[in-house]
Amino acid sequence: MITKIVFGDPVRTDAVTARVPKGEKVKNFSLTREEKRLVFRCPLKAGDAVYGLGETMGRVNKRGGRYISFNTDTADHTDSNPSLYASHNFIVIDGERPFGAFFDTPAKVTFEIDYMGSGEVVADCETCDLNLYEIEGGSAYEVCRELIRAVGRCYLPPLWAFGYGQSRFGYASPEDFRAVADGYKNNGIPLDYICMDIDYMDGYRDFSFNERSFPDPAAFASDMRGRGIRLVPIVDAGIKIEPGDPVYEEGVKGGYFCKNRDGGFFSAGVWPGMTHFPDFLNTSAREWFGRQYKFYTDRGFEGFWNDMNEPAIFYSEYTKGLKNPLYRLAMDILFGKRRKEKKERELVRDYKSFFHDADGRRLRHYDVHNLFGAMMTRATSEGLERLLDHRFMLFSRSSFIGAGRYGGVWTGDNSSTWEHLMLNVRHMPSLNMCGFLFSGADTGGFGGNCTRELLLRWLAFSVFTPLMRNHTSKFTRNQEAYSFGDTDAFRKVIGLRYRLLPYIYSEYMKAALRSDMYIKPVEFVYPEAKGIEDQLLVGDSIMIAPVVTEGALSRNVFVPEDMTLVRYDGGFKCESASRGWHTVGVGLDEVVFFVRRGKLLPVGKPIMNTGEYDAAALELLGDGETYELYTDDGLTRECTEANIRLLKKA
Ligand code: MIG
């Protein structure tokens, strides 16, 4: 049961697309109104878990934390940092009578959840205009599904987006990309795509290629396609101010950029230098921006990642102080923390100084800040839908609930640490609760140096996340799977992804078509597993228990009912695992997971990329009777239940 309570005159976020009955007043919260804010509170009982909030720090059970929805470009993924790149204002209180609430506002919201042992949930909204969706259900899982249903059908990627991808900030020339393709091929490790980071561009300008390095991008894309590999260019939010440049000129002429208080266009310094931000809250500006992707689709590119769309601002016309590099250096050295606070103050000042024209409604950016990235994703997605007659790959750094209909997300600049592998494990179910099924982290970590062991363990987890992309920063150690000596273990672990493709693709598509989660906490199905956050359910048949500890060659696993333990070391070995706790050995060159009782797991033949996938050559593991296999050509937009076939165990 979902109801919508309207406060004041909310900004349209289009987060929810279903028709939802209106309620008169809040049922589950007490409410304090102040002049410029609404504060919702509800008490918690000792055993109540609180789920949700998607891409945030903290645990899957959010109790004890303080989280601020205010989209931020930050590499500080620690519990002392309250804001990451996204705002997913949905929480579920799993007590005697489970219920959820979605605070649908693009303004800043601070959540305190049993913070400092307060025994209550506080959602402090920096606005008096919002839609509150209250959801009641028989379980936390049902409450999440109700939200996902209300949001609307999740983004459907093409089959190839479920392959494995390699990326690095710093690949700059065709030789760099060819070397990656060769590195994988020569070592017999499958690969489907390579991401192109900002160095492919001409002066960091979107919708451009550096012509000296890429004289003929179309030929290059087609050459790579011939090797079974797609190229996935990055697109940043800001458009470089460059008189004479057609994209810039069109944007100016159409008035498609965000404006200053005085009516001129707002300027912010990002990678290309001074830029204007497209007004993604404006329909014509979105259409204009979406049309620009023709530059890529005309040249054979059909996958993209949208970056810097919080939006990130290095400096602006109002924060000249930071522009002087010497001054910045001095600030860095003298006051680490003070500098961070100063940067935050300057960002707020910038965000308060520009405006959107949301189809006639003038809105201060600061008040709708959390919607910017989501609306960029929407602009891209709607543009690509018009440009292509098939599905495309798209994922974004910043997001808001609802953006899951338009594309996926990656979780930004993590680092090569075991904590961040565990953070990835926690993010996945929480993102799924908020309708972001196509998601994943930078496998191996973005910042810092990855080790062979960390990469292998991280890959063994990423095998199960829809987006499986190895990405690292400039100046870090090489992180490609062939960069760590003996590649045998990498071949096996990444090879498993491809053998599980029939399952991963089917489970994703079924979850999307049925408003379900693809990854969920084990306790959503087995209440006796309450509190176990380092095991997850992936689709309907699999439970995983990834190794997230350095040096560990075994781990403890709670098996909530009799299951089949599957060990993959190049072949599948099945044994039975009885209900209860087990210490399970997991070598570095293998992946262990579990198939639930009464379920089946379809596995395919070893392949080198998704183009070789053969849905007719499958084997079924597990003790179930039937499996619902989803198949299509991997690109069609006609994704319906009609593409699902029942496989029966011989
Ligand atoms: O200021 O494009 O999160 O994945 O490699 C950094 C360069 C900009 C941030 C992204 C990261 C990407 C990097 N970008």
Side-chain angles (χ1 to χ4, degrees):
M1 242 287 280
I2 179 166
T3 47
K4 170 179 175 177
I5 301 106
V6 183
F7 295 90
D9 182 13
V11 170
R12 260 188 82 167
T13 66
D14 289 334
V16 167
T17 57
R19 284 182 64 112
V20 174
K22 281 206 182 131
E24 283 308 310
K25 56 188 247 273
V26 208
K27 274 213 269 177
N28 295 291
F29 295 88
S30 64
L31 174 61
T32 331
R33 275 166 197 273
E34 283 166 34
E35 199 197 328
K36 282 185 171 159
R37 60 204 318 133
L38 294 175
V39 185
F40 298 87
R41 288 168 200 273
C42 82
L44 287 174
K45 293 224 173 67
D48 297 357
V50 181
Y51 302 109
L53 297 184
E55 188 182 311
T56 46
M57 289 306 306
R59 309 194 332 133
V60 178
N61 181 351
K62 309 313 284 189
R63 280 187 83 133
R66 181 161 187 271
Y67 315 90
I68 302 181
S69 289
F70 195 73
N71 296 351
T72 306
D73 170 17
T74 173
D76 178 23
H77 301 188
T78 65
D79 279 333
S80 50
N81 182 11
S83 306
L84 299 179
Y85 310 85
S87 294
H88 302 148
N89 301 333
F90 172 56
I91 54 171
V92 184
I93 293 147
D94 190 15
E96 213 175 301
R97 237 175 12 88
F99 68 92
F102 169 33
F103 302 86
D104 185 9
T105 168
K108 183 166 167 177
V109 182
T110 302
F111 292 92
E112 292 184 347
I113 299 180
D114 194 20
Y115 183 54
M116 308 297 288
S118 68
E120 61 172 358
V121 171
V122 183
D124 181 339
C125 309
E126 235 182 65
T127 179
C128 288
D129 304 301
L130 71 90
N131 289 317
L132 173 68
Y133 293 89
E134 282 195 288
I135 307 172
E136 289 167 333
S139 65
Y141 185 20
E142 268 180 35
V143 170
C144 292
R145 289 196 65 175
E146 188 77 48
L147 177 85
I148 295 171
R149 206 170 301 131
V151 164
R153 197 180 75 184
C154 169
Y155 156 71
L156 302 171
L159 176 69
W160 67 266
F162 292 90
Y164 168 67
Q166 180 66 56
S167 183
R168 175 178 192 128
F169 180 14
Y171 295 157
S173 65
E175 294 67 50
D176 291 340
F177 294 98
R178 287 202 187 99
V180 173
D182 290 343
Y184 276 94
K185 182 154 184 261
N186 297 340
N187 286 287
I189 308 172
L191 184 71
D192 258 87
Y193 59 94
I194 309 176
C195 292
M196 305 182 87
D197 210 317
I198 51 176
D199 296 290
Y200 78 82
M201 298 178 187
D202 175 17
Y204 301 133
R205 279 188 296 122
D206 287 344
F207 317 115
S208 80
F209 279 94
N210 178 329
E211 283 175 19
R212 281 178 60 186
S213 313
F214 299 96
D216 190 349
F220 179 52
S222 128
D223 169 56
M224 294 301 278
R225 279 286 283 118
R227 301 163 186 240
I229 288 166
R230 266 127 169 143
L231 293 169
V232 178
I234 195 171
V235 177
D236 283 358
I239 298 295
K240 184 178 172 66
I241 301 177
E242 193 169 70
D245 176 79
V247 182
Y248 167 77
E249 294 290 354
E250 249 186 68
V252 169
K253 223 173 118 208
Y256 298 137
F257 299 122
C258 293
K259 299 216 172 69
N260 277 330
R261 210 163 267 129
D262 62 16
F265 296 125
F266 172 74
S267 307
V270 208
W271 285 103
M274 278 304 195
T275 66
H276 292 326
F277 290 138
D279 186 354
F280 293 117
L281 275 72
N282 180 282
T283 305
S284 318
R286 271 201 306 277
E287 284 171 2
W288 166 74
F289 189 80
R291 278 200 300 276
Q292 304 309 313
Y293 284 74
K294 186 166 191 299
F295 174 80
Y296 302 109
T297 54
D298 277 353
R299 290 165 177 77
F301 297 86
E302 48 199 68
F304 305 92
W305 47 314
N306 283 348
D307 191 19
M308 307 300 273
N309 49 6
E310 293 70 29
I313 297 179
F314 293 167
Y315 52 84
S316 80
E317 54 192 307
Y318 302 108
T319 51
K320 296 217 167 68
L322 271 179
K323 251 203 271 185
N324 180 338
L326 275 179
Y327 171 83
R328 274 158 85 180
L329 188 70
M331 292 298 280
D332 260 334
I333 296 166
L334 288 176
F335 341 86
K337 182 166 176 278
R338 291 249 312 264
R339 197 186 78 88
K340 191 177 173 247
E341 286 170 357
K342 179 167 190 298
K343 176 74 196 160
E344 277 167 17
R345 274 203 311 276
E346 286 179 340
L347 271 174
V348 165
R349 180 180 168 174
D350 285 339
Y351 292 148
K352 285 187 173 169
S353 65
F354 68 96
F355 296 83
H356 295 273
D357 168 9
D359 300 340
R361 187 166 176 182
R362 185 171 185 263
L363 300 166
R364 184 172 70 156
H365 175 77
Y366 178 83
D367 302 318
V368 293
H369 173 68
N370 294 335
L371 211 49
F372 190 81
M375 288 298 164
M376 180 188 184
T377 308
R378 177 174 176 184
T380 305
S381 189
E382 291 180 338
L384 290 170
E385 257 177 43
R386 285 187 286 261
L387 288 164
L388 298 167
D389 58 4
H390 55 76
R391 287 180 269 151
F392 45 82
M393 184 190 210
L394 177 62
F395 56 100
S396 165
R397 194 168 69 177
S398 184
S399 61
F400 186 81
I401 287 184
R405 294 195 305 273
Y406 299 104
V409 291
W410 97 98
T411 53
D413 299 347
N414 62 1
S415 36
S416 300
T417 66
W418 293 86
E419 287 73 22
H420 282 180
L421 166 54
M422 187 58 206
L423 179 62
N424 188 187
V425 175
R426 289 176 168 148
H427 270 158
M428 295 310 299
S430 303
L431 278 165
N432 273 260
M433 292 174 201
C434 299
F436 293 90
L437 271 53
F438 192 73
S439 46
D442 288 353
T443 299
F446 180 72
N449 289 324
C450 194
T451 62
R452 182 172 193 275
E453 183 191 354
L454 179 58
L455 184 57
L456 277 168
R457 292 305 195 199
W458 208 318
L459 285 165
F461 172 65
S462 299
V463 156
F464 300 96
T465 67
L467 174 66
M468 182 189 189
R469 181 182 73 136
N470 178 340
H471 181 47
T472 186
S473 187
K474 254 181 181 165
F475 312 122
T476 61
R477 214 180 266 164
N478 288 347
Q479 201 167 291
E480 299 83 5
Y482 51 81
S483 307
F484 296 88
D486 186 6
T487 52
D488 188 53
F490 291 93
R491 194 164 30 254
K492 287 175 181 163
V493 174
I494 297 169
L496 173 61
R497 167 69 166 212
Y498 284 81
R499 301 208 62 185
L500 292 180
L501 203 59
Y503 178 75
I504 291 169
Y505 189 51
S506 295
E507 293 303 305
Y508 183 98
M509 298 303 274
K510 286 187 287 181
L513 293 177
R514 297 168 180 177
S515 307
D516 206 341
M517 295 167 67
Y518 165 81
I519 292 186
K520 42 189 181 289
V522 181
E523 63 204 70
F524 271 26
V525 174
Y526 302 102
E528 58 274 40
K530 193 155 186 173
I532 297 179
E533 297 194 351
D534 59 355
Q535 299 180 202
L536 296 171
L537 295 173
V538 177
D540 192 43
S541 303
I542 289 182
M543 180 182 82
I544 58 169
V547 177
V548 294
T549 315
E550 185 167 19
L553 288 172
S554 68
R555 61 156 287 173
N556 290 334
V557 181
F558 178 64
V559 180
E561 67 178 349
D562 293 352
M563 290 186 179
T564 305
L565 182 154
V566 182
R567 185 177 296 278
Y568 185 79
D569 59 0
F572 293 96
K573 304 204 172 70
C574 298
E575 52 190 272
S576 52
S578 55
R579 179 177 191 282
W581 282 94
H582 296 261
T583 301
V584 181
V586 190
L588 259 188
D589 59 347
E590 49 181 22
V591 182
V592 171
F593 59 92
F594 299 82
V595 177
R596 292 170 60 194
R597 188 163 68 175
K599 308 282 181 185
L600 285 177
L601 172 68
V603 301
K605 296 250 152 57
I607 50 176
M608 287 300 286
N609 60 57
T610 54
E612 297 174 5
Y613 171 50
D614 179 2
L618 305 180
E619 199 187 323
L620 294 166
L621 307 180
D623 62 12
E625 299 289 323
T626 57
Y627 182 77
E628 289 184 305
L629 186 79
Y630 178 94
T631 33
D632 61 14
D633 62 6
L635 284 173
T636 177
R637 286 185 184 160
E638 301 295 300
C639 302
T640 65
E641 291 276 333
N643 298 343
I644 298 170
R645 262 165 335 108
L646 208 60
L647 299 182
K648 292 202 174 78
K649 191 133 195 201

